[in-house]
Amino acid sequence: MGKVGFCLAVSCAVASCAIAAILVSRRVKSRRKWNRVVGVLKELEEGCSTPVGRLRQIVDAMVVEMHAGLASEGGSKLKMLLTFIDKLPDGNEEGTYYALDLGGTNFRVLRVQLGGKESKIMGHKVESQPIPQHLMTSTSEDLFDFIASTLKEFVEREGDDYTVQLDRRRELGFTFSFPVKQLSVSSGVLIKWTKGFSIEDLVGKDVAECLQQALTKKGLHMRVAVLVNDTVGTLAVGHYDDDDTVAAVIIGTGTNACYVEQTDAIIKCQGLLTNSGGMVVNMEWGNFWSSHLPRTSYDMDLDADSPNPNDQAFEKMISGMYLGDIVRRVILRMAQESDILGDVPPRLTVPFILSTPLMAAMHEDESSDLTEVSRILKDTFEIDDVPLKGRKVIVRVCDVVTRRAARLVAAGIVGILKKIGRDGSGGVTGGRSKSIGEPSNKVRRTVVAIEGSLYSSYNMFREYLNEAVAEILGEEVAQHVVLKVTEDGPGIGAALLAAAYSSSNVASDNVTLL
Ligand code: ADP
Ligand code: MG
């Protein structure tokens, strides 16, 4: 080989080494970036972990907070509001009743025809529409004008199939699913807004009275017979169908629960006397807090950016309003730490752009190449060509966030069961009457009514929740606990309660005293 040839060969070798070095270094860099993605995921998994031991700590914390909330106003982050509902419909109710359901994504107007013991619910009609965005932060006058107008149009469309005596005053149940301090079954003042609503002039006012005034103004001959929230409505429907129902849980835009508390427990705490054995307590559990909750930096950032920081911590880890946004925050962090999604896509920084149903659709994508995940990433964030392993990581993020949420609800439910002695641990109060001699740890059949799209439409969420309840309680006790989907509970329940508390029914005894 000549001198020139030798130099050429050396240069080629050097060039190939350089190229190889660049490739290796790129691969190392890309592996490092990928490792960062995996690191973010690992950290999320650890931060969200809910082993059964931790869930049991949350159960106990829930019980402690329930006691504290009942004992004194402001004694706990759980408000434990008395609803004054001390009787629930039992199937004897007759007549046509109306209900309004406001408190989440949709506003519903309902009419329910009750046929007494034999026919029970003979028919019902529901009309639903999304709440116009601008009304959520408008004035109470605008809000109630919208509600009354919608109801009036609904009533006017009644047609001939309903034989309603137009001269008779109709009874209406109002489901208003925000924290309300109840003054009676049919009146109560708004404590604060949640779930993105903020109509400041209504805070501190009697919500039922505002509605009543708006109805009268529109010339509607209707009486607001009960003011309840969605949990109480759901409990009423659950109990109407199955009188072993002792609690109700909502998992939709927000989350909350109510249950039947023994009056002696309330009397002990508050010196309050009623003439029956039980009263429904609205827990407002969305605001539950315990240091045992597995809270991550994403939850803290979401909270800090929300219109109600330091508020509704439990709800912000669980409900439909927030789950999609927690996932978005994790994906954003992954994008910032690596170039797995190219430059950080601007739309990934837009709060709430990823809704919970879209997140659920990615989570439940069963195609081998995750085509639905690709489509949603493209449509929502304008991100193209995420490699399969990246798409798999995103599905995993959805799984971690959803599983934590479902397991926290399970712990909350078992907390209620423990408080009323239905968790098989030979609890203190024993739920409703136990016959003398019955072993205290014998578990009675116990039904919890559940309403809301996360439970009814999101299969993975439902499976994780059911699984966790069984895990915490143990299979044997869990056999006695039935979680029942209760469709349309908030609205129909309010109509049933309007029947139970209607003026014609007040003196009658065809209701079940709790
Ligand atoms: P609301 O709470 O308004 O009364 P829903 O119980 O239907 O109504 O709950 C609506 C919430 O449930 C929305 O916040 C939405 O994000 C969530 N959601 C609706 N459908 C699904 C679904 N298929 N999977 C997961 N989440 C869903
Ligand atoms: Mg609802």
Side-chain angles (χ1 to χ4, degrees):
M1 194 189 297
K3 214 174 179 181
V4 175
F6 178 75
C7 286
L8 212 64
V10 168
S11 315
C12 280
V14 168
S16 330
C17 284
I19 290 169
I22 289 169
L23 286 177
V24 167
S25 124
R26 269 199 196 151
R27 214 170 296 147
V28 168
K29 263 191 205 153
S30 122
R31 197 176 309 135
R32 254 191 230 139
K33 283 182 177 169
W34 177 250
N35 284 346
R36 277 193 220 136
V37 171
V38 174
V40 172
L41 177 62
K42 284 245 143 58
E43 198 188 315
L44 178 78
E45 286 172 339
E46 276 159 29
C48 290
S49 83
T50 48
V52 72
R54 180 181 279 217
L55 292 182
R56 293 210 174 102
Q57 288 173 318
I58 296 169
V59 168
D60 290 340
M62 184 66 83
V63 175
V64 168
E65 294 300 320
M66 288 171 82
H67 278 284
L70 280 175
S72 63
E73 201 174 316
S76 163
K77 286 206 154 216
L78 288 184
K79 288 215 162 349
M80 304 298 286
L81 301 166
L82 304 185
T83 62
F84 295 87
I85 300 285
D86 57 5
K87 56 186 180 183
L88 289 172
D90 67 355
N92 284 308
E93 299 74 18
E94 282 182 69
T96 301
Y97 295 90
Y98 290 81
L100 299 172
D101 174 13
L102 176 87
T105 312
N106 293 305
F107 170 60
R108 299 179 186 94
V109 190
L110 301 91
R111 178 181 46 237
V112 181
Q113 244 195 341
L114 304 173
K117 201 76 192 167
E118 297 307 312
S119 354
K120 293 195 116 181
I121 296 178
M122 294 163 72
H124 78 275
K125 189 171 177 210
V126 187
E127 277 181 18
S128 177
Q129 59 173 297
I131 296 160
Q133 193 77 25
H134 70 276
L135 286 183
M136 293 169 64
T137 51
S138 175
T139 62
S140 59
E141 197 181 342
D142 288 349
L143 179 73
F144 285 107
D145 185 71
F146 162 78
I147 294 174
S149 307
T150 312
L151 177 61
K152 189 168 188 207
E153 285 163 26
F154 180 80
V155 172
E156 283 170 354
R157 280 196 299 275
E158 265 172 348
D160 298 334
D161 50 335
Y162 280 91
T163 44
V164 186
Q165 296 154 293
L166 289 170
D167 55 336
R168 215 194 105 213
R169 193 168 65 156
R170 299 159 213 202
E171 307 273 354
L172 174 82
F174 184 24
T175 302
F176 181 78
S177 306
F178 300 96
V180 162
K181 182 168 170 50
Q182 213 80 33
L183 305 171
S184 69
V185 281
S186 59
S187 62
V189 296
L190 175 64
I191 298 172
K192 64 173 183 181
W193 287 105
T194 53
K195 296 177 274 189
F197 278 70
S198 174
I199 304 171
E200 285 316 309
D201 72 311
L202 193 59
V203 177
K205 282 200 193 145
D206 183 340
V207 179
E209 196 178 298
C210 290
L211 173 63
Q212 189 68 68
Q213 282 167 2
L215 299 181
T216 310
K217 208 164 143 193
K218 288 270 176 247
L220 274 163
H221 201 44
M222 276 196 184
R223 181 181 83 103
V224 183
V226 288
L227 173 68
V228 291
N229 73 10
D230 45 7
T231 63
V232 180
T234 299
L235 180 63
V237 174
H239 192 272
Y240 186 79
D241 289 339
D242 185 334
D243 63 8
D244 283 336
T245 309
V246 296
V249 173
I250 301 290
I251 329 165
T253 306
T255 184
N256 190 13
C258 73
Y259 72 106
V260 178
E261 182 56 274
Q262 292 303 291
T263 328
D264 53 359
I266 300 173
I267 295 168
K268 232 183 268 164
C269 292
Q270 307 195 352
L272 191 115
L273 283 164
T274 68
N275 56 5
S276 67
M279 184 189 276
V280 178
V281 173
N282 163 25
M283 294 174 64
E284 288 299 332
W285 87 359
N287 201 32
F288 171 66
W289 171 252
S290 153
S291 58
H292 297 297
L293 288 176
R295 202 159 183 244
T296 66
S297 59
Y298 307 105
D299 301 300
M300 291 175 209
D301 292 347
L302 182 146
D303 181 55
D305 295 346
S306 71
N308 55 344
N310 296 319
D311 209 16
Q312 301 292 103
F314 199 50
E315 178 164 86
K316 284 171 180 162
M317 297 167 91
I318 289 172
S319 77
M321 175 143 182
Y322 305 102
L323 292 191
D325 204 54
I326 299 175
V327 168
R328 176 193 67 84
R329 285 168 186 273
V330 181
I331 303 175
L332 174 62
R333 169 98 184 276
M334 287 175 165
Q336 286 164 340
E337 300 247 330
S338 76
D339 59 0
I340 181 174
L341 303 176
D343 293 336
V344 174
R347 290 177 68 128
L348 201 47
T349 61
V350 180
F352 295 100
I353 195 169
L354 180 67
S355 70
T356 299
L358 285 177
M359 183 274 278
M362 294 202 287
H363 188 199
E364 296 187 328
D365 184 354
E366 285 180 347
S367 62
S368 56
D369 54 352
L370 299 175
T371 36
E372 188 63 4
V373 177
S374 295
R375 189 190 64 76
I376 291 169
L377 291 176
K378 180 159 176 38
D379 291 355
T380 311
F381 301 123
E382 292 174 347
I383 306 175
D384 278 317
D385 306 326
V386 179
L388 182 60
K389 67 175 179 179
R391 303 204 292 276
K392 282 187 178 163
V393 166
I394 289 172
V395 173
R396 179 79 192 121
V397 172
C398 300
D399 187 66
V400 171
V401 171
T402 295
R403 186 166 182 270
R404 176 185 69 162
R407 289 170 73 81
L408 291 181
V409 178
I413 291 174
V414 178
I416 298 175
L417 299 181
K418 188 161 188 173
K419 171 73 179 69
I420 59 175
R422 300 282 190 113
D423 68 327
S425 62
V428 223
T429 56
R432 281 192 290 160
S433 58
K434 251 185 234 156
S435 54
I436 298 163
E438 191 180 340
S440 64
N441 60 354
K442 185 166 182 281
V443 190
R444 291 180 51 195
R445 180 174 179 273
T446 298
V447 180
V448 179
I450 308 193
E451 200 270 351
S453 292
L454 260 82
Y455 193 74
S456 60
S457 311
Y458 190 177
N459 295 335
M460 296 291 284
F461 190 101
R462 190 169 57 247
E463 281 168 25
Y464 280 142
L465 197 166
N466 294 349
E467 182 184 87
V469 167
E471 217 177 292
I472 307 169
L473 287 174
E475 291 294 341
E476 208 175 310
V477 176
Q479 279 172 25
H480 302 273
V481 174
V482 183
L483 307 182
K484 241 191 207 180
V485 175
T486 311
E487 304 263 356
D488 284 331
I492 293 180
L496 293 175
L497 285 164
Y501 282 91
S502 71
S503 19
S504 57
N505 227 356
V506 161
S508 94
D509 59 359
N510 60 348
V511 287
T512 309
L513 286 176
L514 291 170

